[in-house]
Amino acid sequence: MNHNLYAVLSAGFPEDLTRPCLLLPDGGQVSYGQIEQAVSQVAGYLGALGVEPGARVALQAEKSVQGLVVYLGVLKAGAVFLPLNPAYTPAELEYFLDDAQPAVFITDPQRFVTEAGGAQPMLQAVAREADDLAALIYTSGTTGRSKGAMLSHGGLAANAHSLQQLWGFGADDVLLHALPIFHVHGLFISLHCALLTGSAMFWLNRFSEVEVIAALPRCTLMMGVPTFYTRLLAHQAFTREVAGGLRVFISGSAPLLDSTFREFQERIGQRILERYGMSESVVISSNPLQGERLAGSVGYPLPGVELRIADDAEVGVIEIRGPSVFKGYWRNPAKTAEDFTADGYFRTGDVGRCDADGRVWISGRAKDLIISGGFNVYPREVEMVLDELPGVIESAVIGVPHPDFGEGVVAIVEGHGDEAALIAECRRQLASFKTPKRVVFVTALPRNTLGKVQKNHLRHSYQGLFSDVP
Ligand code: AMP
């Protein structure tokens, strides 16, 4: 059997290839047949350029239909896809290109696909084993140097099959696709579910509330990062009439605020389905499609995923093992060895717990854990208290150097209000060692493109906050 991911995905394409794969905002569409033909030509062209199976092909460009075709063509040719965030600067880019050594680097997918139009199409996907590499995903790199996570054809296929079943994808679904395609969320999680069932995607090259609201009546489900949902809720035109026809809204890549979950339920009458994942293993756990979805929990581990808390602690680092876990960091055996246990579990670096029911709750990244006066403070616990207080849109709790406590708890708050009042309210609800010593108000928290708050930036900006404390 050929484990090439493209062969696996295309086995799910509809028999009638005139059916739409992509619906476009201008009213146009791209059929499965058109996708298949363009992909075969890109694969053929890569072969003609001398790209060998296992060679890396990098793409750095704004999202486009041609970018999608390049991704699938690279898979079909048996090469390894390396997506790069178009926001990377030349210096950052140099690091990735130097590390990954791609055979081809594409910056203009439109031109590449046009050039490939003259090539002999590749009819059969290049034979690949389940363990062969399909993609190299550089982690978002919020600390240290970004590392290339090696994802295999078999691992990605296993995750896609699980999600397709878990979220009940069928041929008549229409998925709203407004996520970038340089990251696992838009590239693998969303795309693969749709392609595997031969269903359509409403394709937006970027997220815009207005365009999403216009597209939703034609969609049956949506995947997004939490900021998509907060931005939609901030728009008056996001109503039950517009969104009521969708069967599920899925959120991931960053924690969904309880307030967003509740407001969404009140406005739209549905509970957002939150799931948890990371570049190194795609989706790890998910709330159920049928059954209760709880605000703040990321649900149950996916079938086949073994999940445990390190050292059998009640709260600790989440460790996982399963078919979709990556094969290690590219050319970095030392880091790979460090991040896997002797019995083959990957240390995710996320801190969390499992309740008696088996649901997973995440309290933050291990590196964000604050140790103040010798006590562990889990930022999420403090953030959950703050986020409920008047004037707080969202908070980010960090630890910064403190001459007396080692680290002092600081809350950076998007919103406005009175510092002393917020501190007093936290003290009422939390142990005093968890209570922020300072609250700083900002108009917007720093976020990356996926909407994740960049705590490393905050720690850097506020590192001197307690330097004049005697
Ligand atoms: P990335 O590799 O860029 O996708 O980042 C993965 C990280 O995002 C995880 O290790 C988590 O820290 C965080 N993350 C993803 N999904 C969730 C979620 N639903 N709740 C909380 N954190 C999440």
Side-chain angles (χ1 to χ4, degrees), residues 111-140:
R111 205 178 112 199
F112 193 82
V113 170
T114 307
E115 282 168 6
Q120 191 71 21
M122 178 186 282
L123 298 179
Q124 293 292 326
V126 168
R128 296 276 78 192
E129 296 295 334
D131 277 346
D132 284 335
L133 297 193
L136 198 55
I137 303 292
Y138 280 86
T139 54
S140 33

Side-chain angles (χ1 to χ4, degrees), residues 140 183 253-255 274-279 298 350 362 365 452:
S140 33
H183 180 271
S253 288
E274 186 174 12
R275 75 357 168 242
Y276 155 60
M278 63 196 309
S279 302
V298 292
D350 289 314
I362 294 181
R365 298 285 299 162
K452 261 193 263 271

Side-chain angles (χ1 to χ4, degrees), residues 343-382:
D343 55 352
Y345 279 78
F346 171 59
R347 300 185 168 100
T348 61
D350 289 314
V351 175
R353 65 182 173 87
C354 281
D355 66 16
D357 194 27
R359 290 181 195 259
V360 181
W361 302 76
I362 294 181
S363 37
R365 298 285 299 162
K367 61 172 198 296
D368 293 334
L369 174 76
I370 305 165
I371 305 181
S372 188
F375 292 110
N376 285 1
V377 180
Y378 296 102
R380 182 110 178 96
E381 196 188 342
V382 186

Side-chain angles (χ1 to χ4, degrees), residues 284-355:
I284 298 167
S285 73
S286 171
N287 270 280
L289 186 64
Q290 315 291 347
E292 207 176 354
R293 302 175 198 154
L294 297 184
S297 168
V298 292
Y300 302 97
L302 256 51
V305 172
E306 296 170 87
L307 186 148
R308 70 185 185 194
I309 306 299
D311 307 321
D312 276 337
E314 203 198 324
V315 180
V317 172
I318 296 172
E319 297 180 343
I320 51 164
R321 193 163 70 173
S324 66
V325 175
F326 72 132
K327 299 287 159 200
Y329 292 114
W330 175 255
R331 291 187 178 157
N332 201 338
K335 185 67 187 154
T336 305
E338 195 184 311
D339 283 359
F340 279 87
T341 64
D343 55 352
Y345 279 78
F346 171 59
R347 300 185 168 100
T348 61
D350 289 314
V351 175
R353 65 182 173 87
C354 281
D355 66 16

Side-chain angles (χ1 to χ4, degrees), residues 79 128 177 336 356 374 409 411 456 464:
R128 296 276 78 192
H177 194 301
T336 305
V409 179
N456 53 327

